Amino acid sequence: MTGTAAPFAADDYRARMERAARSAAEAGLAGLLVAPGPDLVWLTGYAPTAVTERLTLLVLAPGQDPVLVVPTLEAPDAAKAAGASALTLRDWTDGKDPYAATAALLGADGRFGISDNAWAMHLLGLQKALPGTSYASLTEALPMLRAVKDTAELELLTAAGAAADATFEEIRKIPFGGRRESEVAADLAGLLRRFGHSQVDFTIVASGPNGANPHHEVGDRGIERGDMVVLDFGGLKDGYGSDTSRTVHVGEPTDEERRVHDLVRAAQEAGFRAVRPGVPCQEVDRAARAVIADAGYGEYFIHRTGHGIGVTTHEPPYMIEGEEQPLVPGMCFSVEPGVYLPGRFGVRIEDIVTVTEDGGRRLNDTTREMVIVD
């Protein structure tokens, strides 16, 4: 996880930590324990240069000042974090027990939310030090912790989306036919970096029958004339994510390929138009899925319609059947229906969308029409 270059000050991080502590109390938790990863970056601006076996843990609890437990040798770097002045650093030296130091900050029998990516050895160490405590993952306990973005975050996500759009506009000018998927993927990664991304998370180039695998691992297949090619790419720009998919065709498509592409485009539009405050997340999935199912391709839409995005490219909320969380202005997520015909081809069209006061706004604006490439 890279650090963020976002223009956030100590007061921003202080407000986030206070809100997180209040949310924990409202969820019936005694506090939150946040290990290195996206939650720690979002709450404090601190990303250790290396995550090791040494315990680093942010402790948040209602009515208690935030405390970041850190190894002594890493304390100077932690003190430089943008949010450091909004918390207390408590360091521990090698040879001392970090779990005892942390236990002194916690109640003896509370239930705590803990980062999904906390190491098992650290959780087990805390349980041994405080056998009366219990724990729930942050995704389970506070799934919406980072879901609603503020104005500055929306600006950063908009800029990341624009950079991904610029990448697509350039890649469509480059020849596809006769080149390997891996070569086009390398071009995508280079373009994302050229347009300001510090981290490239994925560059899917799925040509011909490989397009029927939504998470195809790029290989050395030669792209041929007549291939449909699914492009799905994104990463982090200034600490916030991009993620977009477009499906191009090498040369003229068949009538069926056009029909399936038009169907997915209509489904993506239906999913987007379902976005408005108060609507359950599952309704976005239902709207997109109904278009594809009504056309007889329902069994070939094999994944959820969308996922949240922010300081990571995949996070809550999820646009999936059974998710009744209402949409709230400031939420950002993908709308990405697809049709995948095994052994033949696939189509996916994806935009990042943010919820506004009266609907939704796309953060990706490249054409969703069929694009023909050489």
Side-chain angles (χ1 to χ4, degrees):
M1 177 72 191
T2 63
T4 174
F8 300 120
D11 284 347
D12 297 306
Y13 293 111
R14 180 180 290 106
R16 289 178 184 177
M17 288 189 281
E18 289 174 352
R19 176 156 61 91
R22 287 196 304 271
S23 297
E26 292 166 1
L29 299 172
L32 301 180
L33 307 177
V34 185
D39 292 315
L40 188 64
V41 171
W42 185 77
L43 286 163
T44 69
Y46 177 51
T49 53
V51 179
T52 72
E53 74 284 355
R54 292 184 174 97
L55 178 71
T56 295
L57 202 67
L58 174 67
V59 179
L60 298 177
Q64 179 178 306
D65 289 339
V67 177
L68 182 63
V69 178
V70 293
T72 299
L73 75 170
E74 295 174 13
D77 287 337
K80 297 175 185 176
S85 63
L87 52 79
T88 298
L89 289 178
R90 181 166 298 184
D91 64 312
W92 62 276
T93 57
D94 285 353
K96 302 294 184 180
D97 184 351
Y99 307 114
T102 305
L105 304 171
L106 310 179
D109 57 0
R111 181 170 177 78
F112 295 87
I114 189 166
S115 301
D116 296 15
N117 55 334
W119 286 20
M121 65 179 287
H122 296 322
L123 177 57
L124 293 170
L126 288 171
Q127 288 178 318
K128 183 177 180 180
L130 292 170
T133 56
S134 60
Y135 302 86
S137 73
L138 283 188
T139 292
E140 173 193 343
L142 292 177
M144 297 298 116
L145 179 64
R146 304 194 319 256
V148 178
K149 276 61 179 180
D150 62 25
T151 300
E153 290 182 295
L154 288 172
E155 289 175 354
L156 290 165
L157 284 162
T158 299
D165 283 357
T167 295
F168 178 71
E169 294 295 359
E170 290 299 311
I171 201 72
R172 62 183 289 189
K173 302 174 185 175
I174 296 173
F176 279 63
R179 303 180 70 217
R180 294 186 176 91
E181 291 176 343
S182 56
E183 292 174 317
V184 177
D187 288 340
L188 282 171
L191 287 166
L192 284 168
R193 291 191 176 94
R194 185 208 296 180
F195 292 115
H197 281 63
S198 61
Q199 177 176 314
V200 176
D201 286 349
F202 47 88
T203 52
I204 294 173
V205 179
S207 63
N210 289 342
N213 176 0
H215 281 178
H216 169 64
E217 291 287 339
V218 167
D220 288 329
R221 181 185 185 275
I223 301 172
E224 303 171 358
R225 189 166 186 82
D227 277 349
M228 195 84 90
V229 185
V230 178
L231 305 174
D232 185 349
F233 50 94
L236 298 183
K237 179 182 185 297
D238 294 329
Y240 280 75
S242 69
D243 185 2
T244 189
S245 300
R246 294 292 185 263
T247 304
V248 303
H249 198 278
V250 186
E252 285 298 317
T254 65
D255 289 345
E256 182 189 21
E257 287 170 332
R258 280 195 180 277
R259 185 170 65 251
V260 173
H261 190 280
D262 287 346
L263 174 64
V264 174
R265 180 164 56 87
Q268 206 272 345
E269 178 70 16
F272 169 68
R273 294 201 174 278
V275 175
R276 59 186 182 278
V279 169
C281 290
Q282 67 182 2
E283 293 300 330
V284 178
D285 182 86
R286 288 175 176 177
R289 198 169 300 277
V291 173
I292 292 173
D294 289 349
Y297 287 86
E299 66 183 291
Y300 304 113
F301 180 10
I302 56 177
H303 56 74
R304 65 195 176 203
T305 293
H307 57 82
I309 189 168
V311 293
T312 58
T313 48
H314 280 211
E315 63 185 46
Y318 298 104
M319 306 302 113
I320 189 171
E321 181 65 31
E323 179 52 79
E324 297 181 351
Q325 167 66 42
L327 298 180
V328 177
M331 283 182 174
C332 296
F333 48 85
S334 65
V335 178
E336 51 175 307
V339 168
Y340 308 94
L341 303 178
R344 301 180 62 205
F345 65 89
V347 176
R348 182 164 64 259
I349 300 173
E350 173 185 14
D351 294 326
I352 299 303
V353 173
T354 184
V355 184
T356 64
E357 294 297 330
D358 57 2
R361 174 171 65 91
R362 285 185 166 104
L363 303 188
N364 297 106
D365 293 319
T366 55
T367 182
R368 286 166 284 278
E369 301 283 344
M370 171 81 77
V371 170
I372 308 299
V373 296
D374 292 331

